[in-house]
């Protein structure tokens, strides 16, 4: 009996231990399961919500499908509208009727704008441009700004500080005009940040919140009764540059275009003509960046001493200009006219990753595809930049810079188009005057023809003094122009090489340019220099 009781007790203890072990195993398994589920949940959320993830990709695919459907609807409506017109033209009423049939009344709105039509799909807030031939352009987004003309308030009513974290915002033409008014009335926005939040088109009704407002007419030079859109057109006074006075009233903030464009801008001023009339910067902390400007600038009318015009900035002091692109056609009379900057004065200016594709025609001096003139004592650096616009001036005309009086470094750049003038005309620099301290040229070329009666060169038109220090390497031009490379100077002294037409369409020069960017040189930072490849035009371009 005693033995039986001991055996029973031992068995009971073993059973309890087994149960405890099983409970421990179960709890451990449960804990592991929970951890695994949490990990999987995190992975799933990341997969669903992160960049390039399932939800994001699904949203993108949905938007792409909607855009494709809208374009298909618009193409059908356009064909139908043209078919109902006995001349095969598109009329606003007929296009609107066709859209109503395709989408339902009131769901899409067609507006005639000059030689084009804008069609807004109201549910998606997307609009498209249709030309007179019925071609449908790419999608544009329409944003409604609840406080147009107040850049200190966001489009949804939020208060903005103008700091780097809460920059002032431009959502419409009214906001851009207000920025101009603020600066020209004395608030230079020193220390403030401004961002462009969407593409703007001065010809588009959808770039205005109210194109018929007369709020800014007096500021723009009218009598208070002309609509904003009319005043900003070629029939009106045009846009007032941001910063109208070279010495006193200039923009002193930071402007980031966020890779948006400003199209069909029209400026007609006696002096300081450009999107920015004058900019005082801090090259270490402030900049004008990430912007494309298209349109027309006219300068010099009625001025006895017209000064400066530029596609981006008319007059620059101590400014970093980065990733800015001008497709502005500039003409008139100005002492300093350039595709990016009209005139650089004081301190230092840097131009990086910029392009000019606008044509320039100046009746006076200092005309350049990138900069009109660089005054004495100024340092200018230009990197990864090219000109693809025709340049015409009177004297001191260059594919890049009209005249240099300071220190200039041009690195990894090229010039493609025709340069024309009466005297002192160069493919890169028109004239280097005797006040210039130093000019460094690295990895650049010009293939544009040079039209000039005297003092011309494939790279530099005129050197005023033999004492000017020209430090050049990997610099090329086309021999067919019959140019020496440096007017009345010895090519070999400057290490500038002419190539025949048949020699350009090869990888030889591409390899030399890439070798030049890889070769280390003391005092020259090449870390930002772009690589080269052979372009479809037969000349080296950036990768």
């Amino acid at each position: 009996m005693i033995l039986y009781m001991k055996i029973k007790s031992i068995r009971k203890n073993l059973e309890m231990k087994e149960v405890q072990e099983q409970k421990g195993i179960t709890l451990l398994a449960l804990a592991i399961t929970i951890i695994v589920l949490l990990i999987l949940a995190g992975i799933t959320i990341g997969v669903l919500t992160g960049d390039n993830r399932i939800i994001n990709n699904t949203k993108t695919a949905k938007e792409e499908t909607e855009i494709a459907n809208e374009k298909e609807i618009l193409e059908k409506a356009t064909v139908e509208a043209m078919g109902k017109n006995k001349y095969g033209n598109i009329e606003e009423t007929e296009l609107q009727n066709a859209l109503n049939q395709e989408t339902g009344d009131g769901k899409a709105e067609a507006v005639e704008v000059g030689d084009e039509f804008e069609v807004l799909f109201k549910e998606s807030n997307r609009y498209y441009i249709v030309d007179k031939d019925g071609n449908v352009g790419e999608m544009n987004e329409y944003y409604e700004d609840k406080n147009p003309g107040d850049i200190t308030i966001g489009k949804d009513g939020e208060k903005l500080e103008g700091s780097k974290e809460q920059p002032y915002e431009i959502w419409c033409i009214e906001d851009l005009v207000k920025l101009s008014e603020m600066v020209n009335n004395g608030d230079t926005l020193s220390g403030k940040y401004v961002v462009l939040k969407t593409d703007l088109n001065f010809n588009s009704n959808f770039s205005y919140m109210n194109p018929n407002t007369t709020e800014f007419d007096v500021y723009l030079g009218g009598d208070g009764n002309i609509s904003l859109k009319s005043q900003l057109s070629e029939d009106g006074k045009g846009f007032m540059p941001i910063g109208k006075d070279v010495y006193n009233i200039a923009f002193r903030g930071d402007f980031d275009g966020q890779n948006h464009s400003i199209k069909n801008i029209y400026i007609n001023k006696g002096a300081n003509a450009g999107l920015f009339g004058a900019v005082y910067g801090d090259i270490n902390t402030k900049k004008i960046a990430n912007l494309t400007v298209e349109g027309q600038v006219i300068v010099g009318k009625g001025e006895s001493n017209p000064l400066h015009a530029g596609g981006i900035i008319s007059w620059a002091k101590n400014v970093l200009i980065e990733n800015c692109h001008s497709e502005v056609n500039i003409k008139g009379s100005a002492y300093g006219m350039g595709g990016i900057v009209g005139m650089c004065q004081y301190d230092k200016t840097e131009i990086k990753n910029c392009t000019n594709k606008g044509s320039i025609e100046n009746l006076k001096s200092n005309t350049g595809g990138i900069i009109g003139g660089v005054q004495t004592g100024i340092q200018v650096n230009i990197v990864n930049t090219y000109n693809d616009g025709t340049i015409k001036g009177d004297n001191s005309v260059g594919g890049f810079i009209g005249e240099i009086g300071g220190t200039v470094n041009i690195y990894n750049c090229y010039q493609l188009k025709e340069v024309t003038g009466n005297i002192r005309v160069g493919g890169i620099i028109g004239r280097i005057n005797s006040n210039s301290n130093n000019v460094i040229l690295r990895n650049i070329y010009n293939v544009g023809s040079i039209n000039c009666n005297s003092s011309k060169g494939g790279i530099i038109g005129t050197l005023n003094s033999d004492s000017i220090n020209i430090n050049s390497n990997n610099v090329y031009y086309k021999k067919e122009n019959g140019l020496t490379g440096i007017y009345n100077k010895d090519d070999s002294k400057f290490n500038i090489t002419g190539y025949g037409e048949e020699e350009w369409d090869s990888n030889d020069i591409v390899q030399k340019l890439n070798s030049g960017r890889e070769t280390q040189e003391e005092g020259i930072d090449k870390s930002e220099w772009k690589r080269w490849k052979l372009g479809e035009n037969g000349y080296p371009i950036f990768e």
Side-chain angles (χ1 to χ4, degrees):
M1 184 69 178
I2 294 173
L3 180 61
Y4 170 76
M5 292 299 292
K6 286 183 178 181
I7 293 172
K8 186 176 179 180
S9 177
I10 292 170
R11 182 181 294 174
K12 185 177 181 180
N13 290 336
L14 289 172
E15 288 175 352
M16 289 178 64
K17 185 177 180 181
E18 184 178 351
V19 169
Q20 289 174 346
E21 289 177 350
Q22 287 176 350
K23 286 182 178 180
I25 293 172
T26 303
L27 290 172
L28 179 61
L30 178 61
I32 292 172
T33 302
I34 291 172
I35 292 170
V36 170
L37 287 173
L38 288 172
I39 292 171
L40 290 174
I43 293 172
T44 302
I45 291 170
V47 169
L48 289 174
T49 63
D51 292 339
N52 301 319
R53 306 303 185 182
I54 293 173
I55 289 177
N56 189 55
N57 290 342
T58 301
K59 181 180 178 182
T60 301
K62 180 175 180 290
E63 289 177 349
E64 289 175 352
T65 300
E66 289 175 353
I67 292 168
N69 288 338
E70 289 171 348
K71 294 185 76 171
E72 184 178 356
I73 289 170
L74 187 49
E75 287 167 354
K76 287 180 180 179
T78 301
V79 170
E80 185 174 342
M82 294 177 73
K84 288 187 175 181
N85 187 284
K86 64 179 181 179
Y87 300 108
N89 297 327
I90 305 176
E91 300 292 340
E92 182 179 311
T93 301
E94 291 167 348
L95 179 57
Q96 184 64 63
N97 290 337
L99 285 166
N100 289 341
Q101 291 178 4
E102 292 288 337
T103 64
D105 290 350
K107 291 187 176 181
E109 177 185 358
V111 179
E112 186 172 5
V113 182
D115 294 331
E116 300 174 327
F117 295 90
E118 294 177 337
V119 177
L120 173 68
F121 289 83
K122 295 182 179 179
E123 291 182 358
S124 67
N125 269 350
R126 290 188 284 258
Y127 71 94
Y128 304 82
I129 305 296
V130 180
D131 65 23
K132 289 289 186 179
D133 296 323
N135 299 308
V136 178
E138 294 303 310
M139 180 273 296
N140 301 277
E141 291 189 79
Y142 171 71
Y143 297 95
E144 183 178 1
D145 187 352
K146 297 178 182 178
N147 295 277
D150 191 342
I151 66 173
T152 68
I153 299 178
K155 72 179 182 68
D156 295 322
E158 64 275 23
K159 185 66 178 176
L160 304 172
E161 299 176 350
S163 63
K164 194 170 186 177
E165 294 74 23
Q166 288 189 323
Y168 294 149
E169 296 178 351
I170 295 175
W171 288 94
C172 57
I173 297 291
E174 289 94 326
D175 288 345
L176 191 66
V177 175
K178 186 62 178 182
L179 172 63
S180 169
E181 184 181 41
M182 290 171 67
V183 174
N184 290 332
N185 284 341
D187 183 359
T188 61
L189 275 74
S190 178
K192 299 295 185 181
Y193 292 79
V194 182
V195 295
L196 179 62
K197 299 295 289 186
T198 185
D199 293 342
L200 296 179
N201 185 340
F202 278 77
N203 289 348
S204 169
N205 283 345
F206 298 126
S207 286
Y208 301 79
M209 293 300 101
N210 180 7
N212 297 316
T213 182
T214 59
E215 177 184 354
F216 300 99
D217 187 36
V218 173
Y219 166 67
L220 294 172
D223 59 7
N225 297 313
I226 302 175
S227 71
L228 179 60
K229 188 177 179 184
S230 296
Q231 190 66 284
L232 294 173
S233 71
E234 292 185 33
D235 296 328
K237 299 287 186 178
F239 181 76
M240 183 73 73
I242 303 165
K244 63 182 180 181
D245 190 304
V246 167
Y247 297 103
N248 298 310
I249 302 176
F251 178 71
R252 296 173 181 258
D254 180 292
F255 187 94
D256 186 352
Q258 296 191 333
N259 296 316
H260 292 299
S261 62
I262 297 174
K263 298 180 180 179
N264 292 306
I265 193 169
Y266 173 73
I267 298 170
N268 189 346
K269 299 300 172 191
N272 303 323
L275 174 64
F276 291 90
V279 178
Y280 282 1
D282 181 342
I283 202 165
N284 297 313
T285 60
K286 301 289 183 180
K287 60 187 176 182
I288 308 295
N290 307 318
L291 176 68
T292 298
V293 182
E294 303 173 19
Q296 182 180 8
V297 168
I298 300 172
V299 64
K301 184 178 180 180
E303 288 285 329
S304 59
N305 186 33
L307 296 174
H308 322 325
I312 305 296
I313 303 173
S314 172
W315 184 90
K317 172 185 176 179
N318 205 28
V319 183
L320 170 59
I321 306 163
E322 188 170 15
N323 193 31
C324 287
H325 312 284
S326 173
E327 297 181 29
V328 178
N329 297 320
I330 310 172
K331 64 180 181 180
S333 300
Y335 295 106
M337 185 182 292
I340 303 298
V341 179
M343 183 66 69
C344 293
Q345 288 180 296
Y346 304 112
D347 299 331
K348 182 178 181 181
T349 289
E350 291 191 5
I351 297 176
K352 297 180 179 180
N353 305 318
C354 293
T355 60
N356 173 61
K357 295 184 179 180
S359 64
I360 300 174
E361 188 172 347
N362 188 10
L363 296 176
K364 295 194 179 295
S365 62
N366 301 341
T367 309
I370 305 302
I371 301 173
V374 177
Q375 291 203 341
T376 302
I378 314 306
Q379 180 177 342
V380 171
N381 297 332
I382 306 176
V383 184
N384 296 335
T385 293
Y386 69 91
N387 174 63
D388 194 16
T390 56
I391 311 300
K392 185 176 181 180
D394 178 32
N395 68 82
S396 298
V397 186
F400 257 59
I401 303 176
E403 181 165 339
I404 293 174
T407 298
V408 173
N409 303 318
I410 304 178
Y411 300 140
N412 225 48
C413 296
Y414 62 99
Q415 202 286 121
L416 298 171
K417 289 297 177 64
E418 179 181 15
V419 184
T420 302
N422 293 320
I423 189 172
R424 305 181 185 118
V425 180
I428 299 297
I429 301 166
R431 178 191 183 203
I432 303 177
N433 68 42
S434 55
N435 293 318
S436 176
N437 298 321
N438 189 51
V439 175
I440 299 178
L441 308 176
R442 288 289 188 280
N443 262 39
I444 64 175
Y445 75 81
N446 163 55
V447 292
S449 60
I450 311 300
N451 301 308
C452 177
N453 295 321
S454 65
S455 303
K456 63 182 182 180
I459 299 300
I460 301 170
T462 295
L463 285 169
N464 267 26
S465 170
D466 285 333
S467 64
I468 297 171
N469 182 21
I470 306 292
N471 184 340
S472 58
N473 196 16
N474 265 23
V475 179
Y476 307 101
Y477 70 99
K478 288 177 71 172
K479 288 193 299 188
E480 278 71 14
N481 291 326
L483 307 175
T484 63
I486 301 291
Y487 176 72
N488 203 25
K489 303 293 176 183
D490 178 10
D491 289 7
S492 61
K493 176 181 177 181
F494 301 102
N495 196 18
I496 294 174
T497 306
Y499 276 84
E501 178 64 41
E502 72 284 351
E503 297 175 281
W504 284 92
D505 194 7
S506 72
N507 280 312
D508 180 52
I509 299 176
V510 172
Q511 291 172 358
K512 289 181 178 180
L513 291 169
N514 279 326
S515 176
R517 66 177 289 279
E518 292 164 1
T519 303
Q520 299 299 315
E521 291 186 66
E522 185 177 354
I524 299 179
D525 181 8
K526 300 183 178 182
S527 60
E528 294 182 321
W529 291 18
K530 293 181 179 179
R531 286 189 58 81
W532 299 78
K533 67 177 182 179
L534 191 63
E536 293 181 0
N537 60 1
Y539 302 114
I541 61 173
F542 297 135
E543 285 187 349

